[in-house]
Amino acid sequence: MEKKSISIRMILILMFIMIMCATVGSISFIIYSNWLSSANETFTQMAKDMNAEIVRELDDFVKVPLHINAINVNALKYDIIDLSDARERDAFFVNVLKTHSPDVYSFSLGLENGDYYGARRNNQNIPEIMHNNTQTGNYSWYYSVNDDLTAGELVLSAGKFDPRSRDWYKAAAEKKEPVFSNMYKHFVLDDLAISAAYPVYGTDGVLKGVLGTHITLTQINNFLKANVTDKKAHAVIIEKETGNLIANSLDQTNFIALNDGGVKHVNIEEIEDSSIREAYARYKHTGVMQDHIDVKTDRVATYITEYQKDGLNWLVVTTIPESIFTTGIFQSIQLTIGLTVLGLILSGLAFYKLTAMAFKPVDDLIESTAEFTNGDLSKRAIIARNDEIGKIATAFNTMAKTIDSLINELEMKVNKRTKELKESNASLEFLNYHDALTGLYNRIYFEKSLKDLDNQQNFPIGLIFGDVNGLKLTNDIFGHAAGDILLKRVSNTMKQTFREKDIIARIGGDEFAILLLNTEPEEVYQLMRAVRKSFSKENIVGLKGSISLGCDVKSSPGKSTDEMLKNAEDAMYHNKTMSRKGVNAKLIENVIATLHHRSPIEKSHSENVSQLCEQIGQFIHLSPSELKRLKEAGYLHDIGKVILDDQMLNRTRKFGEDEKKTFQEHSVVGYRVLNMFDETLNLAESVLAHHEHWDGSGYPKGLKNEEIPLLARIIAIAETYDTLTNPMIGIKKSQEEAIAEIITLSGKNFDPEIVNALVGLMNPPSGKQK
């Protein structure tokens, strides 16, 4: 055993050394090969990422003047700023300039008459007010700014200036949209500049002038340097078409001022960095934006991005040397190889010692296994260490403990499972005999109880059959969640009213049955009255509770339970039929009362529309029956609005697109409500169509002309008239203004004949009353 153990350890050590050498050698070779093949890709990605960061900062830089123009143009378009008031005008320009980045040199407005106003920052970054009009002789005069933002002392007269001659003004006026100007030499500062121009049109659509936010380009040089200096990289921004420099990180001037006041732009072909020149040349000939260029003893990755925004057409060119990436790589590889060899030697020695320690617990584990197999279920292995052998020993002990537990605790687990099975069966029995929504007994349990309890000792047996009124109406208007609440309220009322021994069951959607043992007929009637009274006090989403009930009492064996159930059901339906008209009317009253309680505006609107409909109907000589129907339809025409939330109902905000669709559903909801009842069936079509238009552009069906019911055409005009004149709604026009507006919609939204009737009603011949 000693010889075999040593042999295995030596074999493991030799295998370990061979595997480690092969692994380290292979990995080193693969890493070096992959490094050579991927260095180019990594190197290129660095150039690309640096270019992308510069483009992002450039985009942030040019967005500022565009944003300033966009947020201020409406103040000038709608004359919110009075340009004729120097104090108000100057304060406006100074405030805008002060609240934005120092990168913005000036903010100004050039007008079509040649006037020019604004504010700028001087060389000390202090705001100054600018005037240029006939009072200044069309010279640009700059003033200091007082504490109250008014013009102070004249600090500079900068010469004649006509904004209409500037490129930024011309470009915005020509394109009629926001645009950047071409790069130009600032007429005061020794710097290049660009202007974000925004045409300002009056409410009549005529050009008033051009709003300009002007930025100098020196700032771009600064963030180019910030991005590339630590990488020993270079970056330039040029005009795509001309190659002229806009900004660079090379500390090279972007332009040369001439003695005649002009300017000579420096071209990319003139810069010292040959890699940038070469990258641009290749881009022009091949369109390649990403490349590698060999320069002297180094290799450079180049990347070009085309930047276009509102008239700007620039190129961002970046270069980065490979040497920053490769420096020290080979030295690191040599050091790694040396450390790896040393690590292999130390690892072999450590592995030799560890194998000696690792095999000792194996014998203990074998011995414990043998004893356990021979029947000693309490035997456990010794866990010397928390290594692999220790984990095997732990797993053995866990297995032994599990087997011991399974054997010793089998009876306890059987008892536990038996108890759980009984509880599960009890739960299933409850679910089998109870209604999930209300918790009452269900039809299965009720029919079983009716059959089981039909014996002499329970006589007299009372049976009450109930049907909830208005469940369908509640579901249709307020949704099934509201209907569920209604059913729960019914069940709660019954639980509180009936006795503990009574069997209360929900046997259908809106049907309930109650079985009462040893109960005299008079007591059954008392309980029915108590349920009706108690449930009538419930209020569910604005609807008062109502239930139809019928009963039968069995006092002798001669009557079957089926006959008893039929008698109670027939009595209920008789009660429902006899009270149907009153119940239906009450339901309609509850719905419209709920609507009017939530919105006094709608109450006033309903009453006014109903009254005006009746007057128009009398004017056109409708029959008394039609006149009565028109008046009722006018009162109930917006009953469907009961589905709207309070903000929509009381017009507290302007509707979005989804809210408009929801609002337009009110005519369909009103139709469904009125179509449920015989008493209001003849009103439903008129309510459905009261938003249809004479030319077919209305909703919900797009009916036109005589396809629209006459009463709906009358309601449409009456509703519009009240909307225009009702002070509670908020429009509040005079009678003459409302009539004039309705006349303009004659033949479009409204029936011309009904419009004429309204006009005749509101403007009767002399001597007649309206």
Side-chain angles (χ1 to χ4, degrees):
M1 290 296 293
E2 183 70 19
K3 184 177 180 180
K4 185 176 181 181
S5 175
I6 294 174
S7 178
I8 292 174
R9 288 169 57 198
M10 289 302 297
I11 291 172
L12 291 175
I13 292 170
L14 291 173
M15 289 179 61
F16 171 78
I17 293 174
M18 291 173 61
I19 291 171
M20 287 294 291
C21 290
T23 301
V24 171
S26 300
I27 292 174
S28 298
F29 176 77
I30 292 170
I31 290 175
Y32 182 72
S33 299
N34 286 344
W35 177 82
L36 290 177
S37 62
S38 64
N40 184 59
E41 180 181 346
T42 304
F43 178 44
T44 302
Q45 186 63 40
M46 289 175 66
K48 182 178 179 180
D49 292 343
M50 183 178 68
N51 189 282
E53 177 62 21
I54 290 173
V55 170
R56 184 190 66 76
E57 291 194 28
L58 177 61
D59 197 51
D60 290 342
F61 181 76
V62 300
K63 278 181 180 177
V64 172
L66 293 173
H67 172 72
I68 293 173
N69 288 346
I71 63 176
N72 290 288
V73 69
N74 284 334
L76 300 171
K77 177 179 179 179
Y78 296 105
D79 296 325
I80 297 173
I81 303 301
D82 184 0
L83 295 177
S84 65
D85 185 338
R87 294 176 65 89
E88 183 178 344
R89 181 187 65 223
D90 293 345
F92 167 69
F93 286 107
V94 173
N95 269 324
V96 171
L97 190 65
K98 279 187 171 182
T99 54
H100 288 87
S101 166
D103 294 339
V104 178
Y105 163 73
S106 66
F107 175 62
S108 62
L109 171 67
L111 298 176
E112 274 291 275
N113 64 0
D115 289 355
Y116 187 54
Y117 303 104
R120 70 155 191 178
R121 288 186 171 91
N122 62 21
N123 291 335
Q124 290 76 42
N125 200 31
I126 299 173
E128 294 177 351
I129 295 169
M130 188 272 292
H131 293 172
N132 186 326
N133 51 31
T134 55
Q135 295 178 1
T136 68
N138 295 117
Y139 280 74
S140 291
W141 288 4
Y142 292 91
Y143 299 86
S144 62
V145 181
N146 295 325
D147 292 340
D148 60 355
L149 304 185
T150 58
E153 296 180 359
L154 177 66
V155 296
L156 176 66
S157 176
K160 278 200 171 185
F161 180 80
D162 187 344
R164 298 168 296 182
S165 66
R166 305 303 288 180
D167 287 344
W168 56 269
Y169 191 101
K170 293 177 181 179
E174 178 182 347
K175 291 191 176 183
K176 300 180 180 179
E177 61 183 23
V179 66
F180 272 103
S181 70
N182 291 326
M183 178 174 58
Y184 62 90
K185 168 66 174 62
H186 196 277
F187 83 106
V188 175
L189 297 177
D190 187 22
D191 201 349
L192 295 178
I194 57 171
S195 300
Y198 201 121
V200 180
Y201 291 90
T203 55
D204 56 359
V206 176
L207 180 67
K208 298 173 68 173
V210 175
L211 190 63
T213 300
H214 315 282
I215 54 176
T216 55
L217 301 184
T218 300
Q219 303 298 329
I220 304 180
N221 291 341
N222 297 334
F223 70 70
L224 287 182
K225 291 179 183 178
N227 275 280
V228 302
T229 300
D230 62 335
K231 303 179 182 67
K232 298 182 181 179
H234 294 150
V236 299
I237 301 175
I238 63 172
E239 289 184 330
K240 181 179 178 181
E241 297 299 327
T242 65
N244 290 337
L245 286 183
I246 293 169
N248 69 86
S249 66
L250 305 170
D251 290 324
Q252 184 166 340
T253 182
N254 298 308
F255 68 97
I256 300 172
L258 302 178
N259 293 331
D260 60 0
V263 64
K264 177 185 180 300
H265 292 280
V266 176
N267 195 272
I268 191 172
E269 303 290 352
E270 303 173 46
I271 67 175
E272 297 177 358
D273 192 312
S274 61
S275 61
I276 291 180
R277 296 199 307 269
E278 179 67 19
Y280 178 65
R282 293 186 185 184
Y283 167 78
K284 285 201 303 183
H285 287 92
T286 65
V288 172
M289 295 185 175
Q290 179 176 309
D291 208 345
H292 292 86
I293 298 172
D294 293 320
V295 290
K296 297 181 181 179
T297 60
D298 206 345
R299 196 162 181 255
V300 175
T302 66
Y303 201 89
I304 298 176
T305 297
E306 296 176 347
Y307 183 81
Q308 297 176 333
K309 180 181 285 293
D310 295 330
L312 299 181
N313 192 7
W314 296 349
L315 295 179
V316 179
V317 185
T318 55
T319 64
I320 184 169
E322 191 179 60
S323 58
I324 68 166
F325 180 70
T326 58
T327 300
I329 291 293
F330 291 106
Q331 293 88 339
S332 298
I333 291 175
Q334 292 173 355
L335 178 61
T336 301
I337 291 173
L339 293 175
T340 301
V341 172
L342 177 62
L344 287 174
I345 296 172
L346 295 176
S347 297
L349 295 173
F351 188 75
Y352 180 84
K353 293 290 185 182
L354 288 173
T355 53
M357 297 170 59
F359 278 90
K360 186 178 184 305
V362 173
D363 292 337
D364 294 336
L365 180 59
I366 293 172
E367 182 182 349
S368 298
T369 303
E371 293 183 20
F372 187 85
T373 303
N374 292 330
D376 186 0
L377 299 183
S378 63
K379 187 65 179 179
R380 300 292 183 266
I382 299 172
I383 302 173
R385 296 185 304 273
N386 190 26
D387 55 9
E388 288 78 359
I389 302 299
K391 291 178 180 179
I392 293 174
T394 301
F396 170 79
N397 289 344
T398 301
M399 179 193 69
K401 181 180 179 181
T402 301
I403 293 173
D404 190 24
S405 175
L406 288 173
I407 293 174
N408 294 330
E409 299 177 8
L410 181 61
E411 183 178 355
M412 182 177 67
K413 289 190 175 183
V414 169
N415 293 336
K416 181 180 179 181
R417 294 292 185 269
T418 303
K419 180 181 179 182
E420 290 175 350
L421 182 61
K422 289 181 179 179
E423 291 174 351
S424 178
N425 289 337
S427 177
L428 289 173
E429 184 178 0
F430 180 86
L431 293 174
N432 191 44
Y433 287 137
H434 287 78
D435 175 53
L437 177 65
T438 63
L440 300 177
Y441 291 114
N442 58 18
R443 188 181 195 98
I444 296 173
Y445 184 84
F446 180 80
E447 291 177 347
K448 178 178 179 298
S449 299
L450 187 61
K451 180 179 179 181
D452 293 345
L453 299 174
D454 182 22
N455 52 62
Q456 188 94 23
Q457 66 184 17
N458 293 322
F459 292 163
I461 299 175
L463 193 155
I464 298 175
F465 197 95
D467 185 272
V468 181
N469 297 321
L471 178 61
K472 186 176 186 307
L473 176 66
T474 304
N475 285 334
D476 285 354
I477 298 178
F478 301 105
H480 287 276
D484 290 346
I485 293 173
L486 175 61
L487 293 172
K488 290 178 182 178
R489 294 280 183 86
V490 174
S491 66
N492 290 337
T493 299
M494 290 184 174
K495 289 175 185 177
Q496 294 169 6
T497 304
F498 289 107
R499 302 161 302 187
E500 187 174 349
K501 67 178 182 178
D502 298 332
I503 297 172
I504 311 168
R506 180 187 175 202
I507 61 174
D510 54 1
E511 295 177 338
F512 294 80
I514 303 92
L515 191 61
L516 306 104
L517 306 179
N518 305 118
T519 307
E520 297 294 337
E522 181 55 36
E523 191 174 0
V524 173
Y525 290 127
Q526 287 177 358
L527 289 170
M528 287 172 60
R529 286 192 294 269
V531 168
R532 287 195 189 99
K533 181 178 180 181
S534 180
F535 188 55
S536 68
K537 297 176 182 178
E538 294 287 346
N539 189 300
I540 301 93
V541 289
L543 302 179
K544 290 186 177 180
S546 173
I547 187 169
S548 297
L549 299 170
C551 70
D552 192 23
V553 178
K554 178 178 180 179
S555 301
S556 62
K559 187 187 296 184
S560 70
T561 55
D562 289 341
E563 183 180 359
M564 185 180 179
L565 184 61
K566 183 178 183 305
N567 291 342
E569 188 173 3
D570 289 346
M572 182 277 295
Y573 280 117
H574 176 74
N575 173 258
K576 194 176 189 74
T577 302
M578 294 298 293
S579 61
R580 177 173 181 170
K581 186 171 183 180
V583 169
N584 291 348
K586 199 67 177 175
L587 287 172
I588 294 295
E589 288 177 9
N590 285 343
V591 174
I592 197 70
T594 298
L595 174 64
H596 290 169
H597 176 72
R598 290 174 55 209
S599 175
I601 293 175
E602 291 300 330
K603 183 175 188 299
S604 169
H605 183 58
S606 295
E607 293 170 349
N608 294 344
V609 171
S610 176
Q611 182 180 5
L612 184 54
C613 283
E614 182 180 26
Q615 293 173 352
I616 295 173
Q618 291 171 344
F619 189 86
I620 63 175
H621 305 298
L622 291 182
S623 66
S625 62
E626 284 292 286
L627 198 60
K628 180 177 180 295
R629 190 158 67 95
L630 174 60
K631 183 177 180 181
E632 292 175 351
Y635 187 73
L636 299 174
H637 75 286
D638 275 344
I639 192 172
K641 287 184 180 178
V642 75
I643 65 168
L644 304 179
D645 62 40
D646 288 346
Q647 288 186 330
M648 292 181 67
L649 194 60
N650 291 290
R651 301 166 174 83
T652 58
R653 64 176 184 274
K654 187 176 181 180
F655 295 162
E657 287 302 318
D658 291 341
E659 290 178 320
K660 285 181 181 178
K661 292 178 181 178
T662 301
F663 181 83
Q664 290 179 357
E665 290 175 2
H666 78 272
S667 58
V668 178
V669 174
Y671 171 80
R672 291 207 309 265
V673 172
L674 299 177
N675 209 35
M676 290 181 187
F677 310 110
D678 294 339
E679 295 78 12
T680 56
L681 187 62
N682 62 345
L683 307 178
E685 286 292 340
S686 298
V687 169
L688 177 66
H690 78 277
H691 279 292
E692 302 286 0
H693 291 167
W694 184 254
D695 62 1
S697 63
Y699 63 85
K701 292 184 176 181
L703 303 179
K704 60 195 289 189
N705 300 343
E706 280 80 8
E707 292 176 351
I708 307 170
L710 174 61
L711 301 191
R713 285 178 262 157
I714 295 174
I715 293 171
I717 289 180
E719 180 180 52
T720 300
Y721 178 83
D722 184 63
T723 300
L724 294 173
T725 60
N726 192 330
M728 293 186 70
I729 294 177
I731 297 177
K732 191 60 183 80
K733 293 189 176 185
S734 66
Q735 174 182 309
E736 292 75 12
E737 290 173 330
I739 293 295
E741 186 166 330
I742 289 172
I743 290 173
T744 63
L745 297 174
S746 179
K748 297 176 183 177
N749 291 21
F750 306 127
D751 181 348
E753 292 185 6
I754 306 301
V755 172
N756 292 337
L758 178 67
V759 173
L761 176 67
M762 296 297 176
N763 301 284
S766 179
K768 293 186 179 181
Q769 297 295 323
K770 289 185 181 180

